[in-house]
Amino acid sequence: MSHQLNQPKPFTMTTMTSLNNQWSSDICDCFDDLPQCCFAFWCLPCFTCKVSHDAGECLCLPLLDAFGVIPPMTTALRVSVRQRYGIQGTVCHDCIYACCCGPCTWCQISREIQARKNPITFVNMAP
């Protein structure tokens, strides 16, 4: 008689149901968080490093944006945050926002990370 052992699979639940698959704020809602907006305006390199760190990425990665026409790290972090939270969108749109609205993009990413900082509850599900 063979007994099969199954590990319980975690079920992730969050209380942020109102956001679903959309950004919690628009790209131009920078003034919704005035301290972050001022920080980004007065010292964008420091702000981008802070946001990158808050997103769990290397602190200095945004500094690589200075070496290209298309800001690769801004685009990559926006894609990463969008995928992490299940936000709809395309890499093309992320790239356009990163190129045309860089500081606003970083502010939006920062607001999204702050809005989604909810405790996650793990519930064991029986197989």
Side-chain angles (χ1 to χ4, degrees), residues 17-93:
T17 56
S18 63
L19 294 180
N20 294 328
N21 58 359
Q22 301 296 318
W23 289 94
S24 63
S25 61
D26 192 37
I27 192 80
C28 295
D29 289 342
C30 294
F31 294 113
D32 285 356
D33 189 346
L34 199 53
Q36 295 284 16
C37 180
C38 289
F39 185 16
F41 179 78
W42 292 109
C43 190
L44 186 62
C46 295
F47 181 73
T48 60
C49 291
K50 178 201 168 295
V51 173
S52 181
H53 178 71
D54 290 347
E57 300 297 334
C58 178
L59 177 64
C60 297
L61 280 178
L63 301 178
L64 296 174
D65 276 352
F67 299 109
V69 176
I70 297 173
M73 298 319 302
T74 304
T75 303
L77 191 62
R78 184 176 163 86
V79 170
S80 173
V81 167
R82 196 171 44 75
Q83 288 179 343
R84 179 184 307 160
Y85 299 125
I87 298 170
Q88 288 182 342
T90 65
V91 175
C92 183
H93 286 135

Side-chain angles (χ1 to χ4, degrees), residues 97-108:
Y97 284 129
C99 289
C100 299
C101 310
C104 294
T105 298
W106 281 100
C107 287
Q108 183 185 38

